[in-house]
Amino acid sequence: MNRTGRQVTMLTEGTYPHVHGGVSTWCDQLVKGMPEVDFFLVSLTGSGREPVTWELPPNVWSHTSVPTWGTRPGRRRPPFGRARRRFVDTYERFLLSFLDPEAPCDFGQSLYELAELARDGRLSAALRTETALRSLMWIWTMPHLPTAAARPTVHDALTATDLLEHALRPLGTRIPEQSVAHAVSSGLATLPALAARHFEGVPFLLTEHGIYLRERYLGYGKDSQRWPVKAFMLGFYRELNSLGYRAADLITPCNQYNRRWEERGGADSHRIRTVYNGVDPAAFPHAGPEPEVPTLSWCGRVDPIKDLETLLRAYALVRAELPETRLRLFGPVPAGGEAYRTRLEKLAAELGVTDGITFEGRINEVWRAYAAGHVVMLSSISEGFPFSIIEAMSCGRTTVSTDVGGVGEAVGDTGLVVPPREPEKMAAAALTLLRDHEQRLELGQLSRQRVIERFTLKRSVDAFRTIYQELAGGPETYEPTLETVVDWTRELRDPWYSAVATEGTDW
């Protein structure tokens, strides 16, 4: 197989090119930073009707949206006869691999057998048969399993089966054999890469920003489903996560914190290479003079994982000490996040600080969001290596941020880091910086210097350029013909997916 590192299939989940900020910014930087590389973009979405919010550059040859919800993929009948019996055997081994720790069942081998059905368009129908439901109920109620004591119901089984069927939909997605498969998160985005590596030997690169499995645990902790369903899905995600760590040819965490998680999850330390996110110091210049009124600024998407409740409570404590202080929040409300925004507004009213807070929405010149404050805040409960912090640092602003993910690695000694979900400590740190003009300015200067020395965009993009060439087997040159590109793009498509060809080809 002739690979050169000049063809990359980028696999995303819920991010690029449908939303802005965070991982999406990183993806866009990587694609635009390598105009000589042909990218095939596969994005896992909800319904498949999500709009593309980024302008895709010419080196993105195709974009395929893979909806995990909406209409069921394929309309083919489930297996029958011997094929049905093989499916049932495979499916039960698959279930046992993450529901029964003592069962000698290989999650990966079972997953690859299910992938053959998925590629044939039969997996979704097979999972929704009464036979599959009976298999789950039989395993769930085995006396030695903790789920038996929870007395799982048929409704629980239907719910778990539905969630699993949707989660496995990407497993049937084929990616170009000539490319390097680059999953930019763990979890569901790795499914096509795992199958391609197993069946076609496609090199598999895994990049983690946030810790996917940790965020699944955080999410299911607040979910309303019954415990057997939560245990079912978390067991699936746990095994899928570990399989991705073991199977990837190379893992590139964006910080050392992630690396430790990956090693604990089964990744070989020799196949892990930390590559920090980077920013262009010219695009995020020194912000200049501070505003006249004491101001805290925040920039990101308005989302529960950003824990803006803690930030609002910390601001209320700051306001009690410095009544003139303002809090300016920059960033969009993602689709479906309107209720969270409303909750924040109600909390601000309860705290009596509505008059000092402004929700300013998305801003095109992001550096202005950092220039708007004396101190830039981050209150997240989960992060990878957040752009908002290194962007603020590049703008010469010091920060108060929560000690999650790689935040401490980014900040170093140029800002103050506090525990998550502790508004009192966040407020104390903010007050320290607001009251000490000289320290604040000195830390701001050190922040920009740290970015220039360690976290530039060029350094990050060059690292991945080298990695693509290494995984492909060397920096030999190869120019695909138009016919080859068309063939690859068609491989990406499935009748129920929506594909967008950026070169204007009419499919």
Side-chain angles (χ1 to χ4, degrees):
M1 187 67 65
N2 186 4
R3 298 190 182 96
T4 67
R6 295 194 59 189
Q7 295 85 41
V8 174
T9 300
M10 178 179 282
L11 298 141
T12 70
E13 181 185 351
T15 55
Y16 189 71
H18 302 286
V19 299
H20 282 267
V23 177
S24 294
T25 297
W26 179 88
C27 292
D28 192 65
Q29 287 179 343
L30 202 61
V31 172
K32 289 179 178 174
M34 297 188 209
E36 77 281 5
V37 174
D38 299 327
F39 282 89
F40 297 81
L41 180 58
V42 178
S43 60
L44 276 57
T45 64
S47 66
R49 296 187 295 273
E50 292 81 358
V52 172
T53 58
W54 290 84
E55 182 178 349
L56 299 180
N59 61 321
V60 175
W61 281 89
S62 72
H63 165 226
T64 303
S65 174
V66 181
T68 54
W69 293 84
T71 306
R72 194 174 71 202
R75 291 296 178 182
R76 305 188 67 180
R77 295 180 179 179
F80 57 90
R82 291 183 179 177
R84 179 180 177 179
R85 288 193 291 274
R86 284 198 303 272
F87 162 72
V88 172
D89 178 63
T90 298
Y91 185 53
E92 290 179 352
R93 284 187 284 109
F94 179 69
L95 294 176
L96 286 167
S97 70
F98 61 87
L99 291 176
D100 185 356
E102 298 179 3
C105 299
D106 188 314
F107 177 87
Q109 184 56 42
S110 302
L111 183 73
Y112 297 137
E113 291 175 19
L114 294 179
E116 294 186 78
L117 273 177
R119 288 181 163 200
D120 193 37
R122 295 181 183 272
L123 180 59
S124 288
L127 290 172
R128 293 184 178 277
T129 59
E130 183 179 347
T131 304
L133 191 69
R134 289 180 182 275
S135 292
L136 174 57
M137 287 300 296
W138 168 65
I139 291 171
W140 248 354
T141 54
M142 286 181 169
H144 69 286
L145 294 184
T147 46
R151 298 181 180 274
T153 65
V154 173
H155 182 269
D156 291 334
L158 287 168
T159 301
T161 299
D162 185 57
L163 292 172
L164 180 65
E165 186 270 314
H166 286 287
L168 288 177
R169 288 185 179 187
L171 193 56
T173 304
R174 292 177 181 266
I175 63 179
E177 295 183 25
Q178 293 85 350
S179 68
V180 171
H182 186 178
V184 302
S185 74
S186 191
L188 303 186
T190 67
L191 287 169
L194 285 165
R197 189 184 187 283
H198 178 78
F199 292 111
E200 288 87 34
V202 173
F204 171 23
L205 171 65
L206 172 59
T207 296
E208 277 205 293
H209 297 270
I211 296 296
Y212 189 94
L213 184 60
R214 179 175 181 269
E215 291 176 1
R216 298 289 81 70
Y217 271 90
L218 287 171
Y220 273 98
K222 297 180 179 179
D223 202 277
S224 60
Q225 292 156 348
R226 278 175 32 88
W227 178 78
V229 177
K230 294 180 183 181
F232 178 91
M233 289 307 299
L234 289 173
F236 163 73
Y237 282 120
R238 185 175 60 249
E239 292 301 317
L240 176 60
N241 205 69
S242 294
L243 177 62
Y245 287 165
R246 295 193 307 271
D249 294 284
L250 187 66
I251 302 172
T252 52
C254 62
N255 55 62
Q256 294 297 322
Y257 171 85
N258 285 13
R259 181 190 182 105
R260 292 191 290 272
W261 270 84
E262 290 156 357
E263 289 175 341
R264 287 197 295 267
D268 182 346
S269 61
H270 295 97
R271 291 185 292 105
I272 304 177
R273 188 181 309 176
T274 302
V275 182
Y276 290 110
N277 296 345
V279 298
D280 180 359
F284 291 90
H286 196 287
E290 297 175 330
E292 294 181 4
V293 178
T295 304
L296 305 176
S297 70
W298 173 91
C299 188
R301 71 182 188 278
V302 180
D303 185 275
I305 208 162
K306 303 300 182 181
D307 191 18
L308 292 173
E309 294 99 331
T310 289
L311 179 55
L312 265 60
R313 290 189 172 95
Y315 169 65
L317 295 172
V318 170
R319 182 95 177 265
E321 297 287 329
L322 297 175
E324 68 274 25
T325 306
R326 298 291 177 260
L327 173 61
R328 300 181 67 178
L329 305 169
F330 296 86
V333 178
E338 295 78 11
Y340 183 64
R341 160 73 183 265
T342 300
R343 197 161 86 220
L344 294 173
E345 291 172 338
K346 289 181 178 177
L347 176 60
E350 292 170 6
L351 295 170
V353 294
T354 300
D355 61 325
I357 297 176
T358 53
F359 289 87
E360 313 216 9
R362 185 182 168 193
I363 185 171
N364 291 327
E365 295 179 297
V366 180
W367 67 270
R368 294 187 182 277
Y370 308 122
H374 291 71
V375 179
V376 176
M377 311 294 290
L378 183 137
S379 52
S380 303
I381 57 174
S382 181
E383 287 284 356
F385 197 81
F387 277 101
S388 62
I389 289 296
I390 55 175
E391 288 170 354
M393 291 168 63
S394 180
C395 290
R397 291 294 194 252
T398 188
T399 57
V400 171
S401 48
T402 45
D403 190 10
V404 294
V407 169
E409 295 171 55
V411 173
D413 58 1
T414 70
L416 301 183
V417 179
V418 299
R421 289 176 169 158
E422 294 195 26
E424 295 82 5
K425 292 185 178 180
M426 177 169 284
L431 285 166
T432 296
L433 293 175
L434 288 173
R435 286 169 168 161
D436 192 332
H437 179 73
E438 290 186 5
Q439 181 192 22
R440 191 174 66 247
L441 293 185
E442 181 184 358
L443 290 177
Q445 294 293 342
L446 291 173
S447 295
R448 181 163 172 82
Q449 182 180 340
R450 183 174 176 84
V451 167
I452 291 172
E453 292 176 353
R454 301 181 179 219
F455 307 130
T456 63
L457 176 59
K458 183 179 185 304
R459 183 193 294 263
S460 180
V461 172
D462 285 349
F464 277 99
R465 180 181 286 110
T466 299
I467 287 168
Y468 289 155
Q469 291 175 347
E470 288 178 4
L471 290 178
E476 58 184 311
T477 59
Y478 175 69
E479 281 289 340
T481 65
L482 178 60
E483 290 76 15
T484 301
V485 172
V486 169
D487 288 342
W488 293 350
T489 306
R490 283 176 175 155
E491 281 186 55
L492 285 167
R493 300 182 70 226
D494 188 277
W496 65 287
Y497 296 156
S498 61
V500 178
T502 60
E503 291 300 304
T505 307
D506 183 6
W507 302 112

